[in-house]
Amino acid sequence: MKKEGQIRIPSGCAIAAVISKDGKKMSGDLITQAMKPMHVRSNGLGGGFAGYGIYPEYKDFYALHMFFDDRSSRISCEAFLKEYFEIVHCERIPTRKMPQITDEPIVWRYFIAPLKSMLANLQLDEKELVSRIVMKINKEQNGTYVFSSGKNMGTFKAVGYPEDVGVFYKLEEYEGYSWTGHGRYPTNTPGWWGGAHPFTLLDYSVVHNGEISSYDANRRFIEMFGYKCTLQTDTEVITYIMDYLVRVQGLTLTEAANVVAAPFWSTIEGNPDYASRRQFTYLRTVFPSLLVTGPFSIVLGYTGGLMVLNDRLKLRSMVIAEKDDRVFIASEEAAIRTMEPNAGKLRAPKGGEPVIIQVKEGAY
Amino acid sequence: MGVDFIYPEFEVIRNESRCIACRVCERQCANEVHFFSPERGIMMSDETKCVDCQRCVSLCPTRALKIIRSDCALRENANWPDSTIKEIYRQASSGGVLLSSMGTPKAYPVYWDKIVINASQVTNPSIDPLREPMETRVTLGKKPDKIRRGEDGRIVYELPPQISLSMPILFSAMSYGSLSYNAHASLARAAEELGILYNTGEGGLHEDFYCYGPNTIVQVASGRFGVHMDYLKAGSAIEIKIGQGAKPGIGGHLPGTKIVGDISRTRMIPEGTDAISPAPHHDIYSIEDLRQLVFSLKEAINYSKPIIVKVAAVHNIAAIASGIARSGADIIAIDGIRGGTGAAPTRIRDNVGIPIELALAAVDQRLREEGIRNNVSLVIGGSVRSSTDVVKAIALGADACYIATSALLALGCHLCRTCHTGKCNWGIATQNPELVKRLNPDIGSKRLVNLMTAWRHEIMELMGGMGINSIEALRGNRLMLRGVGLTEKELEILGISHAGE
Ligand code: SF4
Ligand code: SF4
């Protein structure tokens, strides 16, 4: 059977997320618990989490989380990393042995800083270098896979049910100001750990529920700009699109959302506001190939915030609720109630309407 | 007679018991096949002149007529088919180059027919176009590489010139001269009503049609017929025609018999002279020359409209397209070997060039590999026969399709492939006023609008089935396609998987 990345595997999913607008830290146990009532939305073939603000002691370094098939892949990858980066600290990511999670690869993390000489040499900025190297490792080094590469954030994922994955990675030992979680329901899978969500690049992480019909149009377009879709998953291509629009093209998150889930032409034409009409028209005209169609709901995590977005027809569920400084997001209300029984202001954002939750400046 | 005699290709079968000798067929056939015999009191036919255009059949009030392929044949020979032998007789007699019209009748593989389209089941919902919005609008033109922001942080809305189409189809270049006034009027009016574009071809623009400017592409070909300042400014895009799928490597040819009246004025050449465009543009011997022509035209119209460069699909098309994409062109139009023509040397039409599907796939892929797909839009033509051909073309990577033969069929063309004789009985490819009258532009434009509306509905149905609600999300979406009965190599070039994979 072909491995994920050699073929495209459709899947359905469960999503949950929580963020503190005051930047207050929450244990990863909260998000692990949130996945439990949505058990049936996953089928045990992939679960994962992303936490922000979890590595305060290494916050100035890129945290690479990696899977290795064996010791020799790790040794050779380390040698490769040292050509570009200073490795400030590295260690095995602590996990629990448990019967629900099997066949684990070697899971390590590296805190790295790009070598100044290398940056000057290649005339690249830090982020561009890190993203290129991540892309290169994932494309070229068999048996090695980088699944998280941002600063002061990290992804944890595995084959299994999400609530078990959280226990496996001992998430209760981490404290973050925002968390996203994901349970996967792939229609078939060779059970590869890299295929689980969240998918990340630098500090962007995406959890996604849906199967986008524009996939190959998006993929073939974004690959023109140095991205390589090694996994053939929607989440991967959406992450690259967001990175391209926000980091490379300098769009705001809302503008990027207006590209990805662009309003219909008829809606644009009916918009009474001239300035927004021009802006929508411009973005649709310039980036037609980055329009994403088909059902999706995503939560995009980034340093200092979360963005929630549905496809423009709202073909996937997604609800939001609040309590004090916390905002909760999930595919089902039950997940929110697990995190906070008294959450209020429950609402379902409209299709194509981005909801951005930003942590107070200086609080993250 | 004698050695040169070729038994007529078609037989006119007249059911005597039905024929009322109304002589409609006689009046309708410009080839003068039918005549009344006063001695015998019946209608008779000279089948040597029949081209099987079906005009008489369509108009016979008693359905007394039918045209069938003659079964008088030479002795069967796989290596020497009947047609090949007869062509040799003709050339031995005339010493001339064989001429034909419309697209090649040779059985080249039609890849459209070996590609199937996807639909959603379970994992992803299909979308009902009757209940949900379904967008077919496309915008052609170069897209900017980088978003710029002004001092105030706002996006600067700068954009190279674009053309917007209500659906991804344009009427391809067919000159006034090769087509009749009424055919052009039909195309122009339909384009306007549909919110798409038609193309003047290389014969200039009749003064009556300047009012359709926003829906017009004006063409500049190697003969530069009818090109002047007002003409260049008249349309919403300018197309530089380098080549045409039916006759790559040679120029256009309009016989002097068609250069009459308005046509000579529009083309700005004397009446009765053959309008022969040179094979190359004599100011383009290389890619850097093309760049200069592109920019001279842009200067002339103040950079206000996109420039299209149209080429025939030939072996090295991917590299050629990449060169064009870097030459300042906004849109590349590629025409495949099965494309039609008003007149072309038979041997060239039937043997030179490559199928459009392969050319399109190769070009789209190459432009992406070079990271310049966004520099240009890609319009393809050369036998796009239905809404599914359009959908497959878009999914392979085209921005839009040029159609010509399909449009003529809508106007009544019966594909008799004798346009070059100027005696089109359907009033399309002729300048004979009596024949031109037969095509009523009110009806013609209506039929074109009908055809495009029907295709648009079908495109929306197919998109909805795939769970796609904007044509933009279909462009280059090759995962939506699978090949059936194609070799590894063909699949590799088309960039698609085989059905079942
Ligand atoms: S040329 Fe056309 S109109 Fe004349 S006989 Fe043949 S089919 Fe009829
Ligand atoms: S346009 Fe007229 S002459 Fe040409 S193929 Fe069609 S019917 Fe025949």
Side-chain angles (χ1 to χ4, degrees):
Chain A
M1 197 156 121
K2 284 186 179 166
K3 190 169 145 181
E4 185 135 23
Q6 292 165 319
I7 48 159
R8 188 170 140 74
I9 298 168
S11 54
C13 306
I15 293 178
V18 56
I19 181 166
S20 157
K21 288 194 275 190
D22 292 342
K24 291 190 195 146
K25 295 289 177 79
M26 298 164 279
S27 146
D29 186 46
L30 188 64
I31 195 78
T32 310
Q33 295 304 326
M35 302 313 291
K36 281 190 177 161
M38 297 191 292
H39 183 83
V40 292
R41 297 184 75 95
S42 317
N43 64 359
L45 293 176
F49 302 88
Y52 287 81
I54 58 169
Y55 293 135
E57 64 278 30
Y58 293 110
K59 66 178 180 351
D60 296 326
F61 305 102
Y62 292 89
L64 301 188
H65 287 192
M66 307 183 67
F67 294 136
F68 299 106
D69 281 358
D70 46 44
R71 192 164 170 270
S72 64
S73 333
R74 183 171 65 78
I75 307 280
S76 67
C77 184
E78 268 175 28
F80 174 76
L81 285 175
K82 282 182 185 150
E83 291 173 28
Y84 297 90
F85 308 107
E86 181 196 346
I87 300 179
V88 180
H89 178 69
C90 67
E91 65 189 351
R92 199 180 256 279
I93 295 182
T95 54
R96 281 192 177 91
K97 279 275 167 224
M98 52 198 285
Q100 293 90 336
I101 308 278
T102 52
D103 288 335
E104 67 231 60
I106 302 168
V107 196
W108 275 63
R109 62 184 159 214
Y110 295 82
F111 295 94
I112 57 158
L115 296 174
K116 291 269 174 306
S117 57
M118 213 19 116
L119 291 174
N121 222 340
L122 297 169
Q123 302 190 26
L124 292 175
D125 72 23
E126 249 185 52
K127 289 186 166 182
E128 187 63 31
L129 176 72
V130 175
S131 77
R132 284 197 193 180
I133 296 300
V134 168
M135 218 76 72
K136 197 172 160 69
I137 294 175
N138 289 350
K139 184 177 164 197
E140 292 168 11
Q141 301 199 8
N142 272 337
T144 304
Y145 186 73
V146 185
F147 63 100
S148 186
S149 52
K151 280 184 181 173
N152 199 9
M153 61 81 67
T155 326
F156 304 89
K157 58 189 188 179
V159 171
Y161 280 99
E163 57 273 26
D164 298 329
V165 175
V167 174
F168 174 78
Y169 278 110
K170 306 187 176 177
L171 286 194
E172 71 280 2
E173 293 178 3
Y174 297 83
E175 296 265 308
Y177 59 82
S178 97
W179 286 96
T180 65
H182 186 266
R184 196 167 181 231
Y185 199 131
T187 49
N188 61 23
T189 185
W192 183 52
W193 287 40
H197 298 200
F199 188 82
T200 63
L201 181 66
L202 299 171
D203 68 319
Y204 294 116
S205 70
V206 172
V207 288
H208 155 271
N209 171 16
E211 183 195 340
I212 61 178
S213 52
S214 55
Y215 175 77
D216 217 26
N218 303 144
R219 175 189 71 83
R220 296 184 67 234
F221 184 82
I222 202 73
E223 286 196 344
M224 280 204 287
F225 308 102
Y227 300 92
K228 184 75 202 133
C229 295
T230 46
L231 288 184
Q232 299 198 32
T233 60
D234 297 346
T235 331
E236 181 186 40
V237 81
I238 291 174
T239 309
Y240 294 161
I241 290 174
M242 294 309 290
D243 180 66
Y244 174 71
L245 290 174
V246 177
R247 183 175 62 87
V248 181
Q249 288 289 355
L251 296 189
T252 63
L253 281 172
T254 312
E255 287 162 352
N258 291 334
V259 168
V260 171
F264 287 98
W265 285 115
S266 52
T267 315
I268 295 176
E269 276 147 20
N271 190 322
D273 177 36
Y274 174 74
S276 24
R277 225 163 40 228
R278 270 198 85 187
Q279 168 142 338
F280 287 137
T281 307
Y282 184 75
L283 291 174
R284 269 204 88 164
T285 309
V286 175
F287 300 111
S289 296
L290 295 181
L291 174 71
V292 176
T293 61
F296 68 85
S297 56
I298 60 170
V299 178
L300 171 82
Y302 58 93
T303 301
L306 293 178
M307 181 178 80
V308 181
L309 183 67
N310 262 138
D311 66 271
R312 49 196 198 150
L313 288 183
K314 183 123 182 143
L315 295 168
R316 283 287 187 270
S317 58
M318 177 73 93
V319 284
I320 300 183
E322 288 180 36
K323 174 93 176 36
D324 306 329
D325 62 317
R326 292 186 185 181
V327 179
F328 307 90
I329 300 146
S331 307
E332 293 181 15
E333 190 185 334
I336 294 180
R337 296 282 166 227
T338 309
M339 292 188 275
E340 177 54 69
N342 300 317
K345 292 198 199 160
L346 190 81
R347 68 188 187 100
K350 281 196 294 225
E353 173 204 334
V355 178
I356 295 166
I357 305 131
Q358 188 70 37
V359 177
K360 264 198 291 201
E361 206 50 54
Y364 58 90
Chain B
M1 285 295 149
V3 67
D4 283 338
F5 178 75
I6 295 174
Y7 191 87
E9 215 179 328
F10 307 102
E11 280 176 34
V12 177
I13 309 287
R14 193 185 315 273
N15 184 332
E16 293 298 345
S17 66
R18 287 189 175 190
C19 179
I20 51 172
C22 66
R23 302 179 72 168
V24 162
C25 50
E26 184 182 359
R27 287 191 296 279
Q28 290 296 327
C29 180
N31 294 313
E32 297 170 336
V33 171
H34 305 279
F35 57 91
F36 182 69
S37 157
E39 305 89 66
R40 301 176 59 191
I42 55 164
M43 293 300 300
M44 304 197 27
S45 11
D46 172 4
E47 290 154 323
T48 55
K49 299 173 183 159
C50 176
V51 298
D52 193 15
C53 74
Q54 299 278 324
R55 178 80 189 179
C56 56
V57 175
S58 309
L59 279 122
C60 173
T62 61
R63 251 183 289 115
L65 282 172
K66 70 173 174 182
I67 311 289
I68 60 163
R69 165 165 286 283
S70 144
D71 56 8
C72 172
L74 296 165
R75 188 157 180 182
E76 229 167 87
N77 186 324
N79 189 37
W80 288 99
D82 207 86
S83 55
T84 308
I85 299 172
K86 285 172 183 166
E87 280 164 353
I88 287 191
Y89 292 154
R90 283 207 188 94
Q91 289 193 300
S93 153
S94 70
V97 168
L98 297 165
L99 265 191
S100 350
S101 314
M102 299 311 275
T104 180
K106 270 177 87 167
Y108 283 111
V110 179
Y111 288 98
W112 303 135
D113 295 340
K114 299 181 176 195
I115 295 175
V116 289
I117 300 169
N118 195 25
S120 314
Q121 298 288 295
V122 186
T123 55
N124 175 344
S126 42
I127 303 170
D128 185 344
L130 296 175
R131 294 181 176 83
E132 303 282 354
M134 191 56 71
E135 304 184 311
T136 56
R137 170 160 152 187
V138 291
T139 312
L140 308 183
K142 179 180 165 61
K143 308 291 184 270
D145 306 330
K146 193 87 189 118
I147 297 286
R148 266 205 326 123
R149 285 183 189 271
E151 304 268 287
D152 57 354
R154 297 259 212 122
I155 296 178
V156 181
Y157 301 127
E158 52 193 358
L159 203 58
Q162 308 281 318
I163 40 185
S164 177
L165 307 172
S166 65
M167 60 189 290
I169 296 180
L170 313 91
F171 297 135
S172 187
M174 290 177 281
S175 69
Y176 173 50
S178 76
L179 292 196
S180 66
Y181 179 95
N182 284 354
H184 252 226
S186 305
L187 289 165
R189 280 194 220 172
E192 183 178 55
E193 193 176 332
L194 289 161
I196 62 170
L197 268 57
Y198 88 110
N199 187 316
T200 61
E202 64 166 316
L205 181 62
H206 191 283
E207 59 239 25
D208 294 355
F209 300 145
Y210 275 73
C211 57
Y212 301 106
N215 297 91
T216 308
I217 296 169
V218 294
Q219 199 183 58
V220 173
S222 59
R224 307 282 153 90
F225 301 123
V227 175
H228 52 86
M229 207 50 217
D230 290 342
Y231 171 77
L232 293 177
K233 288 184 173 161
S236 50
I238 300 178
E239 179 172 271
I240 300 172
K241 177 197 172 186
I242 303 291
Q244 180 181 347
K247 41 183 167 181
I250 62 166
H253 181 181
L254 191 66
T257 48
K258 276 184 160 179
I259 312 281
V260 289
D262 277 357
I263 290 160
S264 103
R265 218 178 47 250
T266 309
R267 294 206 171 210
M268 308 195 300
I269 53 170
E271 287 207 22
T273 48
D274 284 359
I276 300 178
S277 330
H281 284 249
H282 283 300
D283 51 1
I284 307 180
Y285 283 0
S286 171
I287 190 78
E288 61 272 18
D289 297 340
L290 172 66
R291 190 177 173 81
Q292 290 193 28
L293 180 59
V294 168
F295 280 95
S296 328
L297 290 173
K298 287 191 169 187
E299 282 289 332
I301 54 168
N302 218 349
Y303 296 84
S304 59
K305 289 155 193 173
I307 306 289
I308 307 171
V309 173
K310 175 177 177 176
V311 284
V314 289
H315 300 178
N316 208 12
I317 189 66
I320 293 166
S322 148
I324 298 172
R326 297 170 197 276
S327 72
D330 301 274
I331 300 168
I332 305 179
I334 306 175
D335 195 14
I337 190 172
R338 301 190 310 270
T341 172
T346 311
R347 297 294 177 232
I348 290 184
R349 180 194 69 175
D350 292 352
N351 296 280
V352 181
I354 65 171
I356 190 60
E357 301 91 329
L358 302 178
L360 161 60
V363 167
D364 178 68
Q365 186 55 29
R366 170 71 80 91
L367 296 182
R368 285 172 196 264
E369 278 163 14
E370 295 184 13
I372 53 174
R373 179 66 183 80
N374 234 8
N375 283 11
V376 282
S377 292
L378 209 52
V379 178
I380 64 102
S383 202
V384 172
R385 308 153 304 163
S386 65
S387 57
T388 39
D389 289 358
V390 175
V391 165
K392 291 168 190 178
I394 304 290
L396 278 180
D399 289 85
C401 296
Y402 259 146
I403 63 160
T405 303
S406 313
L408 296 190
L409 292 173
L411 293 178
C413 164
H414 278 58
L415 263 183
C416 67
R417 310 201 302 258
T418 53
C419 320
H420 56 289
T421 63
K423 291 192 213 162
C424 175
N425 271 326
W426 294 92
I428 299 166
T430 177
Q431 300 308 329
N432 174 338
E434 283 307 304
L435 300 176
V436 174
K437 256 191 344 212
R438 295 179 180 180
L439 175 64
N440 177 337
D442 291 338
I443 299 172
S445 59
K446 179 81 194 110
R447 291 178 60 83
L448 287 167
V449 170
N450 282 348
L451 179 72
M452 289 302 96
T453 309
W455 283 21
R456 183 155 176 265
H457 278 303
E458 291 172 340
I459 292 172
M460 297 199 297
E461 290 278 356
L462 289 156
M463 281 167 47
M466 289 180 265
I468 287 176
N469 56 14
S470 166
I471 196 97
E472 294 158 344
L474 178 65
R475 183 184 329 115
N477 197 337
R478 294 190 183 174
L479 259 186
M480 289 297 164
L481 305 176
R482 289 288 189 276
V484 275
L486 293 175
T487 63
E488 284 283 339
K489 193 74 201 175
E490 288 167 320
L491 292 167
E492 177 194 320
I493 295 167
L494 291 167
I496 60 175
S497 302
H498 201 275
E501 276 189 292

